[in-house]
Amino acid sequence: MYYQRLSDEEILSGFREGDADIIREYFYGYCQVGYNIFDQRYQLREKENLDFMSLAHQYALYLMEHDWKPLEDHFGW
């Protein structure tokens, strides 16, 4: 797939530009993996408002409001 060949800078640029394919592939894709890991440990799906889409979308909105800077700072991009 085309998106698997992107550099970190291209991914971050895609996030900032609102590229839906890049956001879906990289942001929501990685969030899904993390959610599944934590769900096994903490049974998140059984808890109100802790489903994957609610959490991932809330975090995405937060990052978009801050131009993805917290993610950039966290990973040192």
Side-chain angles (χ1 to χ4, degrees):
M1 177 179 234
Y2 163 75
Y3 291 111
Q4 294 175 344
R5 297 188 305 250
L6 298 179
S7 69
D8 290 348
E9 293 80 21
E10 291 170 317
I11 293 168
L12 188 57
S13 177
F15 287 169
R16 288 194 171 124
E17 293 171 5
D19 185 309
D21 291 328
I22 291 175
I23 292 171
R24 182 175 35 261
E25 179 75 19
Y26 287 96
F27 180 75
Y28 285 100
Y30 286 115
C31 284
Q32 182 71 57
V33 171
Y35 181 85
N36 289 338
I37 291 168
F38 281 96
D39 181 46
Q40 290 175 1
R41 183 176 292 163
Y42 301 109
Q43 295 77 44
L44 299 175
R45 294 171 208 256
E46 298 172 13
K47 298 179 172 96
E48 189 175 339
N49 296 322
L50 291 181
D51 60 282
F52 167 71
M53 283 308 292
S54 294
L55 291 173
H57 191 65
Q58 182 179 8
Y59 188 44
L61 290 174
Y62 167 79
L63 290 171
M64 287 176 201
E65 289 173 0
H66 294 90
D67 197 30
W68 299 88
K69 185 91 170 97
L71 192 65
E72 180 181 2
D73 292 345
H74 180 75
F75 290 104
W77 286 339

